[in-house]
Amino acid sequence: MLRTELRDRIAVLTLDRPGQLNAIGSETAAQLKQALADIRDNDDVRALVITGAGRAFSAGADLGEIESFTAPGQFRAFVGRLTEAFALLEDFPKPSVAAVHGFAFGGGLELALACDLRVAERGTRLGLPEMKLGVLPGAGGTQRLPRLLPPAIAKQMILTGEPIDAERAHALGLVNELAEPGGALKSAEALAAKLTAGAPLALAAGKRLIDYGLGMDLEAAIAYERETVAVLFSTEDRAEGLKAFRERRPGDFRGV
């Protein structure tokens, strides 16, 4: 259901249920958590790309599994499993890029929102259609989307259940880069390759500063930045970065 491949310091995680449009269920969430655990301490991996097999990134949560529930507690536990997996991805120390094509709906879009960056093919549709089913996004959609889009746009998407296309998502800043049809994975890998050139400790610290800093007042966030940068100053990678700059060559960063 989730296939992992290593390509030049990039781990490509593929949702591999094309017959079910890569619907995300409990097993997929568990496999994502395990894949992240396996990759976390692998020094050969510097960035992640998440994509979907077949004609879509993901149609969302596995409705077949959901329809088998007979009590609200079962659904709560199901949503909790997805939420936990997506939170681990969001907090992962190595940067991630979602390669989106076809459509990303519901839990599929929530997975993409948990990534640091998003590449989408032109014509791709992105949406949270849960309102049309009488519910709401439950794996981070109502919280992450308004942090990435103007709140009024996020409200419109959530409260109407209507999707937007990749071109509009790009104009609004939800999608970092547009790719031509069939090119999302290649473009996402190219973007991830740029990330792998950075110093691992600085990449992880940069993610934390941005994500955590958004929840602080400006004065506290700047103080957090100052302390983080001071710690990075003592690393071997910082010394290598300065040396590489003077020698006009790429840095050979080792994460120390």
Side-chain angles (χ1 to χ4, degrees):
M1 291 185 184
L2 186 73
R3 177 164 37 91
T4 303
E5 301 170 84
L6 302 184
R7 306 177 188 172
D8 296 328
R9 292 188 170 184
I10 300 169
V12 178
L13 278 56
T14 303
L15 300 172
D16 197 11
R17 300 182 70 196
Q20 292 76 37
L21 298 175
N22 299 318
I24 300 170
S26 297
E27 186 173 350
T28 303
Q31 290 176 353
L32 175 59
K33 290 172 62 177
Q34 186 60 55
L36 293 175
D38 293 341
I39 293 166
R40 187 180 184 93
D41 296 324
N42 186 340
D43 293 336
D44 292 331
V45 175
R46 298 285 180 90
L48 316 179
V49 169
I50 298 183
T51 190
R55 64 186 183 92
F57 180 75
S58 173
D62 189 339
L63 293 181
E65 182 175 354
I66 292 172
E67 288 172 349
S68 71
F69 301 152
T70 57
Q74 292 175 294
F75 181 68
R76 184 181 296 110
F78 172 80
V79 170
R81 289 189 283 273
L82 268 60
T83 301
E84 183 178 346
F86 295 170
L88 287 174
L89 174 61
E90 184 176 50
D91 292 338
F92 200 64
K94 302 175 183 184
S96 56
V97 183
V100 186
H101 69 288
F103 47 84
F105 291 155
L109 180 56
E110 289 175 312
L111 172 60
L113 295 177
C115 292
D116 297 300
L117 306 174
R118 284 155 291 281
V119 172
E121 294 177 11
R122 295 182 183 275
T124 297
R125 292 182 297 156
L126 304 97
L128 296 170
E130 285 86 350
M131 179 62 71
K132 296 183 177 182
L133 301 176
V135 291
L136 286 168
T142 67
Q143 301 307 305
R144 289 193 177 99
L145 193 65
R147 286 167 167 79
L148 294 168
L149 285 178
I153 302 298
K155 283 181 181 179
Q156 182 177 355
M157 290 180 64
I158 292 166
L159 299 181
T160 67
E162 295 293 333
I164 61 175
D165 61 29
E167 289 83 352
R168 188 175 185 212
H170 180 252
L172 291 167
L174 180 61
V175 166
N176 296 86
E177 294 185 6
L178 289 173
E180 296 304 315
L185 180 55
K186 182 177 180 180
S187 294
E189 288 181 320
L191 180 54
K194 295 178 183 178
L195 298 172
T196 66
L201 295 176
L203 284 171
K207 281 192 57 169
R208 290 195 305 273
L209 280 172
I210 295 167
D211 291 341
Y212 297 170
L214 286 171
M216 302 177 182
D217 64 69
L218 184 59
E219 183 178 0
I222 290 175
Y224 179 36
E225 176 189 69
R226 181 172 61 249
E227 294 305 313
T228 300
V229 172
V231 171
L232 290 174
F233 186 83
S234 64
T235 64
E236 294 180 20
D237 278 352
R238 194 279 310 171
E240 164 60 15
L242 181 58
K243 182 179 179 182
F245 176 77
R246 287 175 172 169
E247 296 175 357
R248 299 185 179 183
R249 61 172 174 79
D252 180 20
F253 300 119
R254 302 179 183 277
V256 292

